[in-house]
Amino acid sequence: KSNTGHPMGRREIDIKPIADARVRKSTFLKRKSGLIKKAMELSILCNCEVALVIFDAKGDPIQYSGGDIEEILAKFLDKKPLESYCNEDYSEKFGKDKR
């Protein structure tokens, strides 16, 4: 346990919108960095094409691609996705009983 009385390590959090703008921005920056790192690792380790597009709270785009993003996106638009997910799928895919 840490000196705050909480167990050390990762804690489960409720996945719901963050009300505090400062905390929301900080969380966005940390998670954006982690998501880009995971996308890079997936592309490098598995030799696959990855395109990631994120729009921040102001609507400004952020992108990562493991190759030419325009070619990857054109390929995506030409093919029907093998898998497709949205926010409503979160509980079913990653809920407590899915660990």
Side-chain angles (χ1 to χ4, degrees):
K1 288 188 175 187
S2 69
N3 59 5
T4 63
H6 294 290
M8 294 293 285
R10 297 173 192 249
R11 290 183 287 143
E12 185 175 322
I13 62 165
D14 288 334
I15 301 299
K16 62 183 182 183
I18 299 170
D20 184 297
R22 189 177 53 80
V23 173
R24 186 173 52 246
K25 183 175 182 178
S26 173
T27 300
F28 174 81
L29 293 172
K30 289 177 196 173
R31 288 185 174 249
K32 176 190 72 172
S33 177
L35 184 59
I36 291 169
K37 179 181 178 186
K38 291 289 187 187
M40 287 179 174
E41 291 170 351
L42 180 64
S43 178
I44 293 165
L45 292 171
C46 299
N47 193 32
C48 62
E49 294 178 298
V50 175
L52 173 65
V53 178
I54 304 167
F55 289 89
D56 68 12
K58 296 183 290 184
D60 294 327
I62 298 147
Q63 78 173 45
Y64 161 75
S65 66
D68 184 316
I69 194 162
E70 291 184 15
E71 286 180 18
I72 295 171
L73 293 176
K75 190 184 299 185
F76 172 77
L77 293 173
D78 285 344
K79 293 188 172 198
K80 184 177 179 184
L82 189 61
E83 298 179 41
S84 181
Y85 303 101
C86 65
N87 288 350
E88 287 74 26
D89 300 323
Y90 184 84
S91 293
E92 184 178 324
K93 186 133 178 86
F94 303 107
K96 292 178 187 176
D97 57 333
K98 299 296 180 188
R99 288 192 181 157

